[in-house]
Amino acid sequence: MAAGNVSPSSANPLLRLQGVRKTFPGVVAVAGADLRVAAGEVLALVGENGAGKSTLIKVIAGALRPDAGTVQIAGRDVTGLAPAHVARAGVAVIYQELSQVPGLTVRDNLFLGREPSLLGLLDRAGEQRRARDVLARLGCDVDVETPVARLDLARRQLLEIARALLADARVLILDEPTAALTPRETERLFAVVDELRRRGLGLVFISHRLDEVARLADRIAVMRDGEVLGAWPAAALDRRRLIELMVGRPLDQEFPPRDVAPGAPLLEVDGLAGGGVGAASFAVRAGEVLGLAGLAGAGRTELMRLVFGADRPAAGTVKVAGRIVAPGSPRAAIAAGLALLTEDRKGQGLVLCRSARENFALGNLDRWSRGGWLDLPRETAVFARHVARLGIKLAGDEQRAGHLSGGNQQKLLVARWLERDARVVVMDEPTRGIDVGAKHDIYELINDLARAGKAVVVISSELSEVLGMCDRILVMREGRITGAITEPAAASQADVMALAVCEASHGS
Amino acid sequence: MARDAVSMTRGLSRRLSGYGMLGVLLLLCALFSALTLRDQHPTGAAAARELARALAARADTAASVLALARDNAEERAFLADLTTRLRDARFTRVRSVAAGPPEFRAACEELAAADGPRYLLTLQTNLPAVRAIQSGLPEHTRPVILSPAPYRWPTFLLVDNLRNVANQIAVIAIVAVGMTLVIITAGIDLSVGSLIALSAVVCAWLVQAFGGQAAGPGALLAAATGAMLLSGLAGLFSGAMVVRFRLPPFIATLAMMQVASGAAYIISKGRPIYDAPAAFTALGRGVDPLLGLPWAVWLMLLLYGLAHGLMSRTALGRYVYAVGGNREAARLAGVRTGAVLLFVYALCGVLAGLGGVVTASQLKSGAPTYGLMYELYVIAAVVVGGTSLAGGEGRVLGTLIGAFIIAVIQNGMNLTNVESYTQKVVLGLVILGAVLLDRLRSRPAS
């Protein structure tokens, strides 16, 4: 471990944390963290949710004042300075939630709050020139007068980086930058990161996607329970060892095995079309886990929303256990035994300001109400059973759903549909934003569902996950199902990608 | 053991903090109690009881007794009560006079002419007049004057005053029930003030049409129901605009506010409609025989009980919260979000209509000027009561507390002689302060 902490250029680091400690009432969020990032280095910071990564970043950025320890930027102590001063010292943090004004143009956003001005007049030509320069350096081809609202997420992210460069940032912290990007966009972002590394910036990269970490990082720092366990050269850690460090216990198989013989078709979709999806037909059998792969925007989410009735289809039918489901009505779909766990848990799955119990109960209330009156003790008891069974970590029934970790939020939604006794469960990106330990729990849950004879559909952008978890994979491109992989165990990620991008289908 | 105690107090404090504004309300009550602490003079039954007891303690039943009171309803009631009590105590030579000072003088002189022990019983307020008369009598003929002793008590806390507070806020509080639900769905209803006017006018107009002074109880009930139904339809219409065309509730109800107000003026031709039988005031002015609370207040309490049950114990209540917290998530969980919103806006309309009926009953007339600016008081009651304008959160009983905070401030300032312009300023600042306090308290510890 000690050996891992030494790196060639660590003698003169750009960013240096020493003994940083931060506690909140009742919680030690960061317990004495030491970290250094050299110029021209990418340090990946990994750890499960709640390990203290976010707190540590906030301490670096000046958003939180540490109880003890120091933060140095290029040898200068910036501990406890206000965020604006830390930024001036050369630190830029790109958070997951981008902080832009959608209605303003690219140029306006780039210079927002620090417009170069002469006697209060904006130097428009100068701004345009500098904006074009910096965007060109990042290989970002947008007109600087476009409103930011019209840009896709990837470009908006580049905009944040450009803003940091304009402010002469020397340390760039990227908090899960790839979470919502397509593979191609991710590659482009990585190219930018490589370029910044070459220019001598110090980068901190936070991600749950370990293949990205392996691809990008020079060194990997692992956090667990508020402690930085150490930083290792990326080459010295294999995936398995990394996961074990993060979860703090030896790992069982990443994708737990399942031995279920699929039965009769439960979900039959025939010629379903609408909202950019063209005439999709497929079936899922009881006990089968079907994977839906493809690039972001390929229509996977849209297709399953049509199946669930969240959007109204233009044509086609959906049958559950042989009976046609009324189209365009989530109520009818739920009554027929369909369940949809949306990709956007916070926006479409949960009522964040209500309690975990109420969120669980939503959609199940008829099970413990008579004439509209709720049997609250029964509800509490049923909920407690699911909490225990799924291992949902709660600080009490009344804890707000918005305060749960991603994994627990997902389990909460699974619990809702388990209680509903749904026969067909559709999970859209079930492990996105969920840490390694909880991912494993979700995989076990998927297996449990299959064993219980449910038909499961998993949409995932993580190819290793689709290949590892599914009995069969459908690949979508531009709203159409372009191919199927019937033997995922024998297939490679390249096989899936081939179906997802090229015209020729040679998968099955 | 210790841990149990800790978790218990924590649970209790969480439950109380849900109604944090209750503390503010109690504080305001204490403040105005302290500010209005002054000598109170017993009247009515209490005064009669005290005087009868005092006389029985010091005089025998053969004494000459004169009971004096002014000629108004309150004092006559006191006098009647006192006379009954004295008769029950077997005093034989009792004379009671309800009149003005000239008659007082004649009665006193008559008493002075009587032989044996002489007693004069009266209320504190009549003492100056009685003393002046007495000083003109020969010394040996002067009667012993008894009047109930004054006591220190806050005017604010007098039963009559508290009853008054409850009565004044009843309409706003009733309408605020519906508004709470609307705001929990992340909406707003600006039309309630106008709906109060419309409903009051329609109710009075229907009573007039059903025979005016001659209208029977059935007709009154039909008029009230008709007015509430119309208001409910107006609310339903606003709700339909919100659901069907995704209009912002602010806009939909702003339009309805204008429409309803205009309709009230058209129907009433801009004049109050007075033509109603005495029974029309039963709801607004009638009191229950037991506690003397106005029926409107009882109705308000009943509605809060029902609404609390609805929001905490029924599936529909849960759906209201869910739709407000995240409409899309609710829809995808199988909730009929459109129907929930329609229900909430229609209910708000019906309750605004009920508010109009109560107002009309209180004032025994319907006029298009009723309910002016009430939407703002109603919204203030909801917000002060801790309901978030962002939706998804809030408590019906909190709104009741919020309404009472507003009522207590107004009443307290009236009692302490704060002039009405200043009252507005103070009320505005208190609303701001109450909400800020709530923000600070509920801000998540970061």
Side-chain angles (χ1 to χ4, degrees):
Chain A
M1 199 178 280
N5 277 327
V6 181
S7 107
S9 48
S10 66
N12 191 17
L14 259 184
L15 170 69
R16 180 175 190 172
L17 306 187
Q18 278 180 308
V20 169
R21 186 180 164 81
K22 178 69 193 172
T23 57
F24 297 115
V27 192
V28 182
V30 175
D34 295 306
L35 215 59
R36 37 177 77 202
V37 182
E41 181 183 49
V42 175
L43 176 81
L45 186 59
V46 301
E48 292 194 89
N49 286 338
K53 301 181 306 258
S54 306
T55 308
L56 195 61
I57 291 173
K58 284 183 185 157
V59 168
I60 297 173
L64 288 175
R65 181 186 285 269
D67 301 337
T70 58
V71 181
Q72 290 178 340
I73 307 296
R76 186 182 152 215
D77 190 353
V78 298
T79 318
L81 290 185
H85 291 102
V86 177
R88 218 165 293 151
V91 176
V93 184
I94 317 278
Y95 292 104
Q96 271 171 282
E97 269 94 36
L98 301 178
S99 48
Q100 288 156 341
V101 185
L104 293 182
T105 65
V106 168
R107 174 176 57 84
D108 288 337
N109 269 290
L110 283 178
F111 292 98
L112 193 64
R114 43 169 189 257
E115 293 84 354
S117 73
L118 190 65
L119 300 173
L121 295 172
L122 297 181
D123 172 13
R124 196 175 148 158
E127 276 189 13
Q128 281 182 337
R129 186 169 34 76
R130 291 181 61 195
R132 282 198 197 105
D133 282 356
V134 73
L135 290 174
R137 256 159 70 194
L138 294 176
C140 181
D141 53 338
V142 295
D143 178 7
V144 295
E145 299 301 329
T146 317
V148 163
R150 287 215 211 121
L151 300 186
D152 60 21
L153 200 67
R155 291 207 170 75
R156 293 177 64 173
Q157 213 162 35
L158 287 178
L159 218 55
E160 290 271 314
I161 297 176
R163 202 175 135 83
L165 292 182
L166 280 173
D168 293 322
R170 297 149 84 188
V171 176
L172 194 61
I173 301 173
L174 299 160
D175 188 5
E176 290 209 50
T178 61
L181 299 188
T182 64
R184 200 180 313 171
E185 290 167 339
T186 303
E187 265 317 310
R188 202 164 61 190
L189 177 72
F190 287 179
V192 168
V193 169
D194 284 335
E195 165 69 14
L196 297 178
R197 164 162 44 195
R198 242 175 6 88
R199 286 170 171 273
L201 268 75
L203 292 117
V204 180
F205 177 78
I206 295 168
S207 178
H208 284 305
R209 298 188 175 168
L210 300 183
D211 17 349
E212 294 179 355
V213 169
R215 147 85 173 75
L216 210 56
D218 299 305
R219 288 189 304 137
I220 302 174
V222 182
M223 282 193 85
R224 189 171 74 220
D225 301 332
E227 282 184 72
V228 176
L229 301 178
W232 291 264
L237 285 181
D238 65 9
R239 184 186 178 87
R240 190 183 175 85
R241 174 82 187 113
L242 189 54
I243 294 175
E244 284 178 355
L245 279 170
M246 285 163 66
V247 298
R249 59 182 160 80
L251 192 69
D252 337 320
Q253 255 176 296
E254 186 174 359
F255 300 109
R258 163 182 78 239
D259 191 13
V260 183
L266 258 186
L267 173 70
E268 292 162 279
V269 176
D270 188 20
L272 202 60
V277 175
S281 302
F282 63 94
V284 193
R285 298 196 281 166
E288 184 183 30
V289 180
L290 175 76
L292 212 48
L295 302 178
R300 299 167 299 169
T301 299
E302 291 75 6
L303 171 60
M304 292 324 288
R305 280 178 66 90
L306 290 178
V307 169
F308 186 68
D311 299 317
R312 185 170 282 277
T317 57
V318 175
K319 283 194 223 169
V320 173
R323 304 175 78 162
I324 290 189
V325 183
S329 160
R331 272 182 77 76
I334 291 166
L338 271 161
L340 174 67
L341 286 99
T342 55
E343 167 188 14
D344 182 3
R345 288 186 293 272
K346 295 186 175 190
Q348 298 176 351
L350 293 165
V351 185
L352 297 176
C353 62
R354 304 307 299 175
S355 71
R357 176 171 52 81
E358 280 186 33
N359 270 283
F360 159 76
L362 194 65
N364 282 317
L365 292 175
D366 55 319
R367 297 176 73 86
W368 46 81
S369 65
R370 186 175 292 238
W373 286 87
L374 301 175
D375 182 350
L376 290 182
R378 173 122 174 264
E379 175 178 294
T380 309
V382 172
F383 182 50
R385 211 171 59 222
H386 283 282
V387 168
R389 184 173 147 203
L390 300 184
I392 302 174
K393 284 179 203 133
L394 290 180
D397 281 11
E398 298 310 313
Q399 185 173 25
R400 288 176 173 215
H403 291 170
L404 298 176
S405 71
N408 281 314
Q409 288 180 340
Q410 191 67 279
K411 287 183 192 173
L412 188 62
L413 287 169
V414 172
R416 178 197 284 170
W417 297 117
L418 281 178
E419 176 61 23
R420 187 81 257 176
D421 212 12
R423 285 183 288 181
V424 179
V425 181
V426 180
M427 301 172 129
D428 195 352
E429 302 287 359
T431 62
R432 170 166 292 173
I434 288 176
D435 58 53
V436 174
K439 266 185 189 174
H440 198 262
D441 290 352
I442 301 286
Y443 296 147
E444 290 281 14
L445 257 173
I446 292 174
N447 284 352
D448 286 347
L449 289 171
R451 280 187 203 109
K454 321 272 188 203
V456 184
V457 180
V458 175
I459 300 175
S460 176
S461 295
E462 279 195 56
L463 293 178
S464 58
E465 181 173 289
V466 184
L467 289 167
M469 282 305 297
C470 302
D471 298 312
R472 192 158 57 92
I473 300 172
L474 297 179
V475 186
M476 287 188 74
R477 181 167 53 80
E478 289 166 12
R480 294 181 180 280
I481 297 175
T482 49
I485 291 174
T486 46
E487 293 278 346
S492 71
Q493 301 200 0
D495 295 337
V496 180
M497 283 311 291
L499 288 170
V501 271
C502 337
E503 202 62 51
S505 79
H506 53 272
S508 54
Chain B
M1 222 33 186
R3 180 172 299 175
D4 274 3
V6 167
S7 77
M8 217 170 77
T9 41
R10 203 172 281 162
L12 190 68
S13 75
R14 195 175 49 219
R15 200 157 302 169
L16 281 181
S17 80
Y19 298 103
M21 285 297 134
L22 189 58
V24 174
L25 177 60
L26 293 177
L27 219 66
L28 282 168
C29 288
L31 173 72
F32 286 120
S33 297
L35 288 177
T36 60
L37 187 62
R38 48 188 80 128
D39 281 338
Q40 306 292 344
H41 307 296
T43 57
R49 189 168 55 236
E50 190 185 332
L51 279 177
R53 201 173 292 151
L55 186 67
R58 60 169 67 204
D60 65 65
T61 51
S64 304
V65 180
L66 171 62
L68 279 184
R70 284 181 193 267
D71 194 11
N72 62 37
E74 194 189 343
E75 296 207 4
R76 266 202 310 271
F78 151 76
L79 202 58
D81 194 358
L82 179 60
T83 326
T84 316
R85 283 172 190 276
L86 292 178
R87 199 183 312 122
D88 291 350
R90 305 200 183 288
F91 283 94
T92 48
R93 303 166 67 188
V94 176
R95 184 161 175 249
S96 65
V97 174
E103 289 82 2
F104 281 5
R105 173 170 297 275
C108 285
E109 281 163 359
E110 208 168 299
L111 177 66
D115 43 55
R118 289 172 289 262
Y119 291 91
L120 195 158
L121 310 185
T122 191
L123 288 171
Q124 194 85 27
T125 45
N126 298 326
L127 272 186
V130 170
R131 287 234 169 83
I133 297 167
Q134 190 197 30
S135 61
L137 296 174
E139 196 157 334
H140 65 278
T141 63
R142 288 180 189 167
V144 177
I145 300 176
L146 293 180
S147 74
Y151 60 98
R152 299 286 284 176
W153 186 255
T155 306
F156 174 77
L157 284 186
L158 288 176
V159 174
D160 275 348
N161 187 59
L162 292 178
R163 217 176 265 153
N164 199 16
V165 170
N167 203 23
Q168 276 179 350
I169 203 62
V171 169
I172 285 174
I174 286 172
V175 181
V177 171
M179 185 69 83
T180 306
L181 266 61
V182 169
I183 290 183
I184 286 175
T185 65
I188 194 96
D189 189 346
L190 297 178
S191 67
V192 291
S194 298
L195 289 180
I196 288 174
L198 178 64
S199 161
V201 164
V202 167
C203 185
W205 181 73
L206 285 175
V207 169
Q208 195 176 39
F210 293 156
Q213 307 275 2
L220 295 182
L221 201 64
T225 312
M228 284 164 62
L229 271 180
L230 182 68
S231 280
L233 283 177
L236 193 67
F237 183 82
S238 297
M241 292 294 115
V242 172
V243 171
R244 185 70 189 81
F245 301 107
R246 298 248 161 189
L247 278 192
F250 188 96
I251 303 298
T253 60
L254 185 70
M256 182 52 72
M257 174 181 174
Q258 296 296 326
V259 171
S261 176
Y265 275 95
I266 293 170
I267 294 170
S268 64
K269 301 186 181 68
R271 289 187 300 271
I273 302 172
Y274 291 110
D275 199 9
F280 187 54
T281 61
L283 178 63
R285 295 187 198 163
V287 299
D288 77 285
L290 213 63
L291 289 172
L293 272 181
W295 289 117
V297 174
W298 280 116
L299 184 62
M300 170 191 88
L301 293 175
L302 175 72
L303 284 171
Y304 273 92
L306 288 177
H308 178 71
L310 171 77
M311 294 307 283
S312 61
R313 289 277 185 282
T314 71
L316 182 56
R318 285 283 179 81
Y319 294 158
V320 173
Y321 280 118
V323 168
N326 189 339
R327 190 162 160 190
E328 182 64 5
R331 185 177 80 96
L332 294 182
V335 177
R336 274 189 288 237
T337 56
V340 170
L341 285 170
L342 285 179
F343 162 77
V344 165
Y345 280 91
L347 180 73
C348 189
V350 167
L351 289 176
L354 179 58
V357 169
V358 172
T359 309
S361 170
Q362 282 173 340
L363 301 171
K364 206 185 168 194
S365 61
T369 50
Y370 293 173
L372 190 68
M373 304 271 281
Y374 267 37
E375 59 277 352
L376 298 186
Y377 286 104
V378 169
I379 293 169
V382 176
V383 171
V384 169
T387 296
S388 152
L389 284 174
E393 288 179 279
R395 286 191 171 90
V396 172
L397 293 186
T399 298
L400 183 61
I401 294 168
F404 266 93
I405 285 178
I406 290 171
V408 162
I409 289 169
Q410 285 186 324
N411 175 268
M413 287 195 294
N414 280 334
L415 292 179
T416 48
N417 298 320
V418 178
E419 53 125 5
S420 67
Y421 301 141
T422 318
Q423 285 196 9
K424 280 192 151 188
V425 175
V426 172
L427 194 63
L429 293 178
V430 166
I431 290 172
L432 208 58
V435 176
L436 281 181
L437 201 73
D438 195 53
R439 270 296 142 73
L440 287 180
R441 194 182 44 72
S442 63
R443 195 165 55 186
S446 60

